[in-house]
Amino acid sequence: MSETGAQDDQIEDEGREGAEPPAEPGESLFEAPPIGEQERMVEAILFASAEPVTVNELNARMPHGSDAAEALVYLKKRYEGRGVALSRVGDAWVFRTAPDLGFLMQRETVETRKLSRAAIETLAIIAYHQPVTRAEIEEIRGVSVSRGTIDQLLEMEWIRFGRRKMTPGRPITFVVTQDFLAHFGLENARDLPGLKELRAAGLLDNRPPPASMPGLPDEEEGEDDGAGVAAEDQGDMFEA
């Protein structure tokens, strides 16, 4: 081998010795961002995400070399005692309202419920004939009253159970509630509408004549009596 060739081999060997080893597969050639910057990245991803995000998903979005798990530790401490908390859901993370402030997120809505014809008739009979039993309601209506109709009115808190009647079987009675009066702007049972108002409201279409419904005021009797409920019966209105 010539002297020149020997020198070239020596330079090549020295170059190999001074060269850095090749990067391992998957290892970044760039330095990872500072942990503070990683924390900001995790915060931004979680804030914009509608669903919880796993650590693997965070690492996949962040620059190579980032450690989302470590950033989460710092971020969780940062949000301690704040209105928003960093919560873990399974193996994922998400921002949520602090548990003690959950009441601020409650929203009350008014649910409109339309009463059936049977429920309207049953409610009217109870209002004008209270305290009245289920059998008496059925006798006045001429048809049976389903359990669902009574349950609906009880659930709405427009009627309640009254005293038991002193008749065989001691049947339970029904009366209207303060909520019923408040809903219709009534002060007491005397303020219930008369026959003319009920017809104008369409509540007496195809109904039996007043003679078959004792207690309901007739047009000829005037409307001073309002509901036509006897004064002595009105005291029973809200008694258990």
Side-chain angles (χ1 to χ4, degrees), residues 76-193:
K76 185 174 179 61
K77 290 182 179 179
R78 182 184 296 273
Y79 276 89
E80 287 180 355
R82 304 288 298 273
V84 176
L86 181 59
S87 304
R88 182 170 183 173
V89 181
D91 59 347
W93 294 83
V94 65
F95 278 125
R96 286 184 173 170
T97 303
D100 60 317
L101 299 180
F103 70 95
L104 297 174
M105 304 300 110
Q106 294 179 354
R107 180 180 178 184
E108 296 183 2
T109 59
V110 177
E111 180 183 0
T112 302
R113 303 178 62 180
K114 187 175 182 180
L115 291 177
S116 65
R117 184 73 178 188
I120 293 176
E121 292 180 351
T122 300
L123 180 61
I125 292 172
I126 294 173
Y128 284 104
H129 297 271
Q130 61 183 344
V132 60
T133 66
R134 180 172 178 174
E136 291 170 338
I137 296 172
E138 293 177 343
E139 182 180 357
I140 294 172
R141 288 193 65 217
V143 295
S144 63
V145 179
S146 70
R147 180 61 181 268
T149 298
I150 296 294
D151 288 344
Q152 182 183 11
L153 296 175
L154 288 171
E155 183 181 346
M156 295 175 66
E157 297 185 351
W158 278 7
I159 67 171
R160 65 176 177 83
F161 295 113
R163 294 182 299 182
R164 291 185 178 273
K165 274 206 167 182
M166 301 299 295
T167 58
R170 299 291 306 280
I172 195 74
T173 62
F174 299 97
V175 297
V176 294
T177 64
Q178 291 280 10
D179 288 346
F180 167 83
L181 297 177
H183 182 84
F184 291 99
L186 305 174
E187 184 175 346
N188 52 52
R190 291 191 178 91
D191 297 327
L192 287 167

Side-chain angles (χ1 to χ4, degrees), residues 55-66:
V55 174
N56 290 338
E57 291 172 337
L58 289 170
N59 283 327
R61 298 187 188 184
M62 297 167 64
H64 287 291
S66 299

